[in-house]
Amino acid sequence: MRRALELAAEIALAGEVPVGALLVKDGRIVGEGANRPIGTHDPTAHAEIVALRAAAHGLKNYRVGESTLYVTLEPCAMCFGAALQARITRVVFGAWDPKAGACGSVLDLSRERKLGARIDVFGGVLAQESSALLQRFFEVRR
């Protein structure tokens, strides 16, 4: 999670909302990402999606399988859906997202039985650090 915070802090310097993510499989990082929708003009370039793309490319398989996605902010519905498609088994996140969170804040897709696949979710890990990074970013912009 500390590496995800580093990625988030780095991307904040580029003017992007500071969210970082990484994917760990078999004890090693197989994909990293940070928010890039503004700079890439791509609404899907959330940190989780960037990390999943990097992992799938490196592993040469869109099904990443048993792995853990670490992210500094609770995933939205798009990102959680992408994690389901990649067959991620665990998501660990920092700050809760009361505006778009899909792991308990607005929706809880992790408990939706109709989706078939299941992902274990652990929220609030290094939440203060993750929240503080976001708060500082938005205070400067206001």
Side-chain angles (χ1 to χ4, degrees):
M1 185 58 100
R2 295 243 181 249
R3 176 64 184 146
L5 282 165
E6 289 173 10
L7 293 166
E10 290 169 12
I11 204 65
L13 298 174
E16 298 276 1
V17 176
V19 179
L22 57 104
L23 198 65
V24 175
K25 182 176 177 68
D26 299 326
R28 66 183 182 92
I29 296 173
V30 294
E32 291 185 339
N35 254 11
R36 297 188 183 280
I38 297 168
T40 61
H41 310 292
D42 179 357
T44 69
H46 289 195
E48 300 95 322
I49 302 293
V50 174
L52 286 169
R53 285 178 180 154
H57 181 75
L59 296 169
K60 298 189 182 340
N61 193 339
Y62 74 103
R63 295 258 168 98
V64 177
E66 192 164 325
S67 56
T68 301
L69 177 64
Y70 294 90
V71 60
T72 58
L73 182 65
E74 179 183 5
C76 68
M78 174 183 69
C79 293
F80 192 83
L84 280 170
Q85 293 299 315
R87 302 299 192 257
I88 303 302
T89 52
R90 181 180 303 122
V91 171
V92 177
F93 69 87
W96 295 90
D97 185 352
K99 293 182 180 178
C103 297
S105 290
V106 176
L107 302 169
D108 194 350
L109 295 178
S110 68
R111 295 182 188 267
E112 180 55 59
R113 295 178 193 270
K114 293 178 185 174
L115 292 175
R118 297 287 314 245
I119 297 178
D120 293 327
V121 175
F122 303 92
V125 177
L126 297 180
Q128 286 183 326
E129 292 91 333
S130 297
S131 294
L133 191 57
L134 288 160
Q135 287 171 347
R136 280 193 306 272
F137 177 81
F138 286 113
E139 282 173 2
V140 170
R141 297 200 99 182
R142 290 184 189 135

Coordinates of all heavy atoms in Angstrom, one line a residue, residues 83-135:
A83 N -11.7 -5.4 -12.3 CA -11.1 -6.4 -11.4 C -11.8 -7.8 -11.5 O -11.1 -8.8 -11.5 CB -11.0 -5.9 -10.0
L84 N -13.1 -7.7 -11.5 CA -13.9 -9.0 -11.7 C -13.5 -9.7 -13.0 O -13.3 -10.9 -13.0 CB -15.4 -8.7 -11.7 CG -16.0 -8.5 -10.3 CD1 -17.5 -8.0 -10.5 CD2 -16.0 -9.7 -9.5
Q85 N -13.5 -8.9 -14.1 CA -13.1 -9.5 -15.4 C -11.7 -10.1 -15.4 O -11.5 -11.1 -16.1 CB -13.3 -8.4 -16.5 CG -14.7 -8.0 -16.7 CD -15.6 -9.1 -17.1 OE1 -15.3 -9.9 -18.0 NE2 -16.8 -9.2 -16.5
A86 N -10.8 -9.5 -14.7 CA -9.4 -10.0 -14.6 C -9.3 -11.1 -13.6 O -8.2 -11.7 -13.6 CB -8.5 -8.8 -14.2
R87 N -10.3 -11.5 -12.9 CA -10.3 -12.5 -11.9 C -9.4 -12.3 -10.7 O -8.8 -13.2 -10.2 CB -10.0 -13.9 -12.6 CG -11.0 -14.3 -13.7 CD -12.4 -14.5 -13.2 NE -13.2 -15.1 -14.2 CZ -14.1 -14.5 -14.9 NH1 -14.3 -13.2 -14.9 NH2 -14.9 -15.2 -15.8
I88 N -9.3 -11.0 -10.4 CA -8.6 -10.6 -9.2 C -9.3 -11.3 -8.0 O -10.5 -11.3 -8.0 CB -8.6 -9.1 -9.0 CG1 -8.0 -8.4 -10.2 CG2 -7.9 -8.6 -7.7 CD1 -6.6 -8.8 -10.6
T89 N -8.6 -11.7 -7.0 CA -9.2 -12.3 -5.8 C -9.3 -11.5 -4.6 O -10.1 -11.7 -3.7 CB -8.4 -13.6 -5.4 OG1 -7.1 -13.3 -5.3 CG2 -8.6 -14.7 -6.5
R90 N -8.5 -10.4 -4.6 CA -8.6 -9.5 -3.4 C -8.3 -8.1 -3.8 O -7.4 -7.8 -4.6 CB -7.5 -9.9 -2.4 CG -7.5 -9.1 -1.1 CD -6.5 -9.6 -0.1 NE -6.6 -11.0 0.2 CZ -5.7 -11.9 0.1 NH1 -4.5 -11.6 -0.4 NH2 -6.0 -13.2 0.4
V91 N -9.1 -7.1 -3.2 CA -8.8 -5.7 -3.3 C -8.6 -5.1 -1.9 O -9.4 -5.4 -1.0 CB -10.0 -5.0 -4.0 CG1 -9.9 -3.5 -3.9 CG2 -10.2 -5.5 -5.4
V92 N -7.5 -4.4 -1.8 CA -7.2 -3.7 -0.5 C -7.1 -2.2 -0.9 O -6.4 -1.8 -1.8 CB -5.9 -4.2 0.0 CG1 -5.5 -3.4 1.3 CG2 -5.9 -5.7 0.3
F93 N -7.9 -1.4 -0.2 CA -7.9 0.0 -0.5 C -7.8 0.9 0.8 O -8.0 0.4 1.9 CB -9.1 0.4 -1.3 CG -10.4 0.4 -0.6 CD1 -10.9 1.5 0.2 CD2 -11.2 -0.7 -0.7 CE1 -12.1 1.5 0.8 CE2 -12.5 -0.8 0.0 CZ -12.9 0.3 0.7
G94 N -7.4 2.1 0.5 CA -7.1 3.1 1.6 C -8.4 3.8 2.0 O -9.2 3.4 2.8
A95 N -8.6 5.0 1.3 CA -9.7 5.9 1.7 C -11.0 5.4 1.1 O -11.1 4.9 0.0 CB -9.4 7.3 1.1
W96 N -12.1 5.6 1.8 CA -13.4 5.4 1.3 C -13.8 6.5 0.4 O -13.4 7.6 0.6 CB -14.4 5.3 2.5 CG -14.1 4.1 3.4 CD1 -13.3 4.1 4.5 CD2 -14.6 2.8 3.3 NE1 -13.2 2.8 5.0 CE2 -14.0 2.0 4.3 CE3 -15.5 2.2 2.4 CZ2 -14.3 0.7 4.5 CZ3 -15.7 0.8 2.5 CH2 -15.2 0.1 3.6
D97 N -14.6 6.2 -0.6 CA -15.1 7.2 -1.6 C -16.6 7.4 -1.5 O -17.3 6.6 -2.1 CB -14.7 6.8 -3.0 CG -15.0 7.9 -4.0 OD1 -15.7 8.9 -3.7 OD2 -14.6 7.7 -5.2
P98 N -17.0 8.4 -0.7 CA -18.5 8.6 -0.5 C -19.2 9.0 -1.8 O -20.5 9.1 -1.8 CB -18.6 9.6 0.6 CG -17.3 10.3 0.5 CD -16.3 9.4 0.0
K99 N -18.5 9.4 -2.8 CA -19.2 9.9 -4.0 C -19.3 8.8 -5.1 O -20.2 8.8 -5.9 CB -18.4 11.1 -4.6 CG -18.5 12.3 -3.7 CD -17.8 13.5 -4.3 CE -17.9 14.7 -3.4 NZ -17.2 15.8 -3.9
A100 N -18.3 7.9 -5.2 CA -18.4 6.9 -6.3 C -17.9 5.5 -5.8 O -17.8 4.6 -6.7 CB -17.5 7.4 -7.4
G101 N -17.7 5.3 -4.6 CA -17.2 4.0 -4.1 C -18.1 2.8 -4.3 O -19.3 2.9 -4.0
A102 N -17.6 1.7 -4.9 CA -18.4 0.6 -5.2 C -18.1 -0.6 -4.3 O -18.4 -1.8 -4.7 CB -18.3 0.2 -6.7
C103 N -17.4 -0.4 -3.2 CA -17.1 -1.5 -2.2 C -17.7 -1.2 -0.9 O -17.1 -1.6 0.2 CB -15.6 -1.6 -2.2 SG -14.8 -2.1 -3.7
G104 N -18.8 -0.5 -0.8 CA -19.5 -0.2 0.4 C -19.9 1.2 0.6 O -20.9 1.4 1.4
S105 N -19.3 2.2 0.0 CA -19.7 3.6 0.2 C -21.0 3.9 -0.5 O -22.0 4.3 0.1 CB -18.6 4.5 -0.2 OG -17.5 4.4 0.7
V106 N -21.1 3.8 -1.8 CA -22.3 4.1 -2.6 C -23.0 2.8 -3.0 O -24.2 2.7 -2.8 CB -21.9 4.9 -3.9 CG1 -23.1 5.1 -4.7 CG2 -21.3 6.2 -3.5
L107 N -22.2 1.9 -3.5 CA -22.6 0.5 -3.8 C -21.7 -0.5 -3.1 O -20.6 -0.1 -2.6 CB -22.5 0.3 -5.3 CG -23.1 1.2 -6.3 CD1 -22.6 0.9 -7.7 CD2 -24.6 0.9 -6.3
D108 N -22.1 -1.7 -3.1 CA -21.2 -2.7 -2.6 C -21.2 -3.9 -3.6 O -21.9 -4.9 -3.3 CB -21.5 -3.2 -1.2 CG -20.4 -4.0 -0.5 OD1 -19.5 -4.4 -1.3 OD2 -20.5 -4.3 0.7
L109 N -20.5 -3.8 -4.6 CA -20.5 -4.8 -5.7 C -19.8 -6.1 -5.2 O -20.0 -7.1 -5.7 CB -19.8 -4.3 -6.9 CG -20.6 -3.2 -7.6 CD1 -19.8 -2.7 -8.8 CD2 -22.0 -3.6 -8.0
S110 N -19.0 -5.9 -4.1 CA -18.3 -7.1 -3.6 C -19.3 -8.1 -3.0 O -18.9 -9.3 -2.8 CB -17.2 -6.7 -2.6 OG -17.8 -6.2 -1.4
R111 N -20.5 -7.7 -2.6 CA -21.5 -8.5 -2.0 C -22.6 -8.9 -3.0 O -23.5 -9.6 -2.6 CB -22.0 -7.9 -0.8 CG -21.0 -7.7 0.3 CD -21.6 -7.1 1.5 NE -20.6 -6.7 2.5 CZ -20.3 -7.5 3.5 NH1 -20.8 -8.7 3.7 NH2 -19.4 -7.1 4.4
E112 N -22.5 -8.5 -4.2 CA -23.5 -8.7 -5.2 C -23.4 -10.1 -5.7 O -22.5 -10.5 -6.5 CB -23.5 -7.7 -6.3 CG -24.5 -7.9 -7.4 CD -25.9 -7.9 -6.9 OE1 -26.3 -6.9 -6.2 OE2 -26.6 -8.9 -7.0
R113 N -24.3 -11.0 -5.3 CA -24.3 -12.4 -5.7 C -24.6 -12.6 -7.1 O -24.1 -13.6 -7.7 CB -25.3 -13.2 -4.8 CG -25.0 -13.2 -3.4 CD -26.1 -14.0 -2.6 NE -25.9 -13.7 -1.1 CZ -25.2 -14.5 -0.3 NH1 -24.5 -15.5 -0.8 NH2 -25.1 -14.2 0.9
K114 N -25.3 -11.8 -7.8 CA -25.6 -11.9 -9.2 C -24.4 -11.8 -10.1 O -24.5 -12.2 -11.3 CB -26.7 -10.9 -9.6 CG -28.0 -11.2 -9.0 CD -29.0 -10.1 -9.4 CE -30.3 -10.3 -8.6 NZ -31.2 -9.2 -8.9
L115 N -23.3 -11.3 -9.6 CA -22.1 -11.1 -10.5 C -21.3 -12.4 -10.7 O -20.5 -12.4 -11.5 CB -21.2 -10.0 -9.8 CG -21.8 -8.6 -9.9 CD1 -20.9 -7.6 -9.1 CD2 -22.0 -8.1 -11.3
G116 N -21.6 -13.4 -9.9 CA -20.9 -14.6 -10.1 C -19.6 -14.7 -9.3 O -19.5 -15.3 -8.3
A117 N -18.6 -14.1 -9.9 CA -17.3 -14.1 -9.3 C -17.3 -13.3 -8.0 O -18.1 -12.4 -7.8 CB -16.2 -13.5 -10.3
R118 N -16.4 -13.6 -7.1 CA -16.3 -12.9 -5.8 C -14.9 -12.4 -5.6 O -13.9 -13.0 -6.0 CB -16.6 -13.9 -4.6 CG -18.0 -14.5 -4.6 CD -19.0 -13.5 -4.2 NE -18.7 -12.7 -3.0 CZ -19.3 -12.8 -1.8 NH1 -20.2 -13.6 -1.6 NH2 -18.9 -12.0 -0.9
I119 N -14.8 -11.2 -5.0 CA -13.6 -10.6 -4.7 C -13.6 -10.2 -3.2 O -14.6 -9.6 -2.7 CB -13.3 -9.3 -5.5 CG1 -13.2 -9.6 -7.0 CG2 -12.0 -8.6 -5.0 CD1 -13.0 -8.4 -7.9
D120 N -12.6 -10.6 -2.4 CA -12.5 -10.2 -1.0 C -12.1 -8.8 -1.0 O -11.1 -8.4 -1.7 CB -11.5 -11.1 -0.3 CG -12.0 -12.5 -0.1 OD1 -13.2 -12.8 0.0 OD2 -11.2 -13.5 -0.1
V121 N -12.7 -8.0 -0.2 CA -12.4 -6.5 -0.1 C -12.0 -6.2 1.3 O -12.7 -6.5 2.3 CB -13.6 -5.7 -0.6 CG1 -13.3 -4.2 -0.4 CG2 -13.9 -6.0 -2.0
F122 N -10.9 -5.4 1.5 CA -10.5 -4.9 2.7 C -10.2 -3.4 2.6 O -9.3 -3.0 1.9 CB -9.2 -5.6 3.2 CG -9.3 -7.1 3.3 CD1 -9.0 -7.9 2.2 CD2 -9.8 -7.7 4.4 CE1 -9.1 -9.3 2.3 CE2 -10.0 -9.1 4.5 CZ -9.6 -9.8 3.4
G123 N -11.1 -2.6 3.2 CA -11.0 -1.2 3.1 C -10.4 -0.5 4.4 O -10.4 -1.1 5.4
G124 N -9.9 0.7 4.2 CA -9.4 1.5 5.3 C -8.0 1.3 5.6 O -7.5 1.8 6.7
V125 N -7.2 0.6 4.8 CA -5.8 0.3 5.0 C -5.0 1.6 4.7 O -5.1 2.1 3.5 CB -5.3 -0.9 4.2 CG1 -3.8 -1.1 4.4 CG2 -6.1 -2.1 4.6
L126 N -4.3 2.2 5.7 CA -3.6 3.5 5.5 C -4.6 4.5 5.0 O -4.3 5.4 4.2 CB -2.4 3.3 4.6 CG -1.3 2.4 5.0 CD1 -0.2 2.4 4.0 CD2 -0.8 2.8 6.4
A127 N -5.8 4.5 5.5 CA -6.9 5.4 5.1 C -6.5 6.9 5.4 O -6.8 7.7 4.6 CB -8.2 5.1 5.8
Q128 N -5.9 7.2 6.6 CA -5.6 8.5 6.9 C -4.6 9.1 5.9 O -4.8 10.2 5.4 CB -5.0 8.6 8.3 CG -6.1 8.5 9.4 CD -5.5 8.7 10.8 OE1 -4.4 8.3 11.1 NE2 -6.4 9.2 11.7
E129 N -3.6 8.4 5.6 CA -2.6 8.8 4.6 C -3.2 9.0 3.2 O -2.9 10.0 2.6 CB -1.4 7.8 4.5 CG -0.5 7.8 5.7 CD -1.0 6.7 6.7 OE1 -2.2 6.4 6.7 OE2 -0.2 6.2 7.5
S130 N -4.0 8.1 2.8 CA -4.7 8.2 1.5 C -5.6 9.4 1.5 O -5.6 10.2 0.5 CB -5.5 6.9 1.2 OG -4.6 5.8 1.1
S131 N -6.4 9.6 2.5 CA -7.3 10.7 2.6 C -6.6 12.1 2.6 O -7.0 13.0 2.0 CB -8.2 10.6 3.8 OG -9.1 9.5 3.7
A132 N -5.5 12.1 3.4 CA -4.8 13.4 3.5 C -4.2 13.8 2.2 O -4.2 15.0 1.8 CB -3.7 13.2 4.5
L133 N -3.7 12.8 1.4 CA -3.2 13.1 0.1 C -4.3 13.7 -0.8 O -4.0 14.7 -1.5 CB -2.6 11.9 -0.5 CG -1.8 12.0 -1.8 CD1 -0.6 12.9 -1.6 CD2 -1.3 10.6 -2.2
L134 N -5.4 13.2 -0.8 CA -6.6 13.7 -1.6 C -7.0 15.1 -1.1 O -7.2 16.0 -1.9 CB -7.7 12.7 -1.6 CG -7.5 11.4 -2.4 CD1 -8.5 10.3 -1.9 CD2 -7.7 11.7 -3.9
Q135 N -7.1 15.2 0.2 CA -7.5 16.5 0.8 C -6.6 17.6 0.4 O -7.0 18.7 0.0 CB -7.7 16.4 2.3 CG -8.9 15.6 2.7 CD -8.9 15.3 4.2 OE1 -8.0 15.5 4.9 NE2 -10.1 14.8 4.6

